[in-house]
Amino acid sequence: NKRPIILKNEVMKMIIRTALAVMIVVAASTSSTKANMKESITQAGSNALVKYVETVVYGMVENMSELFSDQFRQCTNVNGKVITHTKSQVISFIKKQKHIKQDCITNYAIIEQSATCFIAKVEMKYLEFTRVDYLTLGPEGKKWKVNQVLTTFKENSTYLSK
């Protein structure tokens, strides 16, 4: 009569061990999947940022319409006035710059990032002035796209002193 009880205890121990092993494997793979997903999101956002720089600075206009979201807007501060351009206006302008490399020193950085939004800064320093674009990027479908660009201009102090 005691023999079946021991057998039941052994079976229960085996079930508990198996359940714990499965939980450990699931936890490890979930953490690995989250890390891979975060890396994938970061890479996708970074790729969209690099594509923006290639398009604006180097005139690489191929697949440009896929770069901007459907609700894209560019706001530019010119002489104290904010001028807003739509996606189609910006694409039309950039297409005219096809394969024209801007004569500037370019730096860019991701200021803030999450799973749903990147904020980036692109600085294009020309001889007389610096153009700074602040971008917001986000996922649209399976791709990351530029949602908005805020553009400012400032005169370079080294040019002013000449």
Side-chain angles (χ1 to χ4, degrees):
N1 202 6
K2 286 193 173 201
R3 187 80 171 141
I5 293 173
I6 294 172
L7 186 58
K8 283 183 184 177
N9 286 339
E10 292 300 318
V11 170
M12 288 302 289
K13 286 180 184 177
M14 188 172 74
I15 290 172
I16 291 171
R17 284 186 199 132
T18 304
L20 285 173
V22 167
M23 289 185 340
I24 289 170
V25 169
V26 168
S29 68
T30 301
S31 132
S32 173
T33 302
K34 285 181 183 177
N36 290 342
M37 186 184 290
K38 184 177 181 183
E39 184 176 312
S40 174
I41 289 168
T42 301
Q43 188 61 47
S46 295
N47 289 346
L49 175 58
V50 169
K51 176 66 177 161
Y52 176 82
V53 171
E54 290 173 345
T55 300
V56 173
V57 178
Y58 300 105
M60 299 172 72
V61 299
E62 295 75 20
N63 302 317
M64 178 183 43
S65 60
E66 294 177 17
L67 175 64
F68 301 107
S69 72
D70 293 336
Q71 296 79 27
F72 173 81
R73 293 284 182 264
Q74 179 174 18
C75 299
T76 306
N77 185 349
V78 178
N79 297 325
K81 289 186 176 183
V82 176
I83 300 171
T84 302
H85 300 285
T86 64
K87 176 181 177 177
S88 61
Q89 290 171 321
V90 170
I91 288 175
S92 175
F93 176 77
I94 293 174
K95 280 183 178 178
K96 294 174 187 172
Q97 309 298 316
K98 183 176 183 177
H99 301 298
I100 296 176
K101 182 186 179 300
Q102 299 295 308
D103 188 16
C104 63
I105 298 170
T106 306
N107 293 306
Y108 58 92
I110 297 170
I111 298 171
E112 193 68 42
Q113 68 185 39
S114 72
T116 58
C117 182
F118 268 41
I119 300 173
K121 178 181 179 181
V122 178
E123 193 174 67
M124 295 162 267
K125 188 170 186 173
Y126 296 86
L127 180 62
E128 300 174 17
F129 65 93
T130 299
R131 171 183 166 172
V132 180
D133 287 352
Y134 295 95
L135 288 72
T136 59
L137 302 97
E140 188 173 286
K142 293 185 178 186
K143 294 187 176 199
W144 276 68
K145 297 188 177 194
V146 178
N147 296 320
Q148 185 173 22
V149 176
L150 304 172
T151 301
T152 63
F153 295 92
K154 61 182 178 179
E155 293 185 57
N156 294 336
S157 57
T158 55
Y159 177 75
L160 294 174
S161 64
K162 290 182 181 180

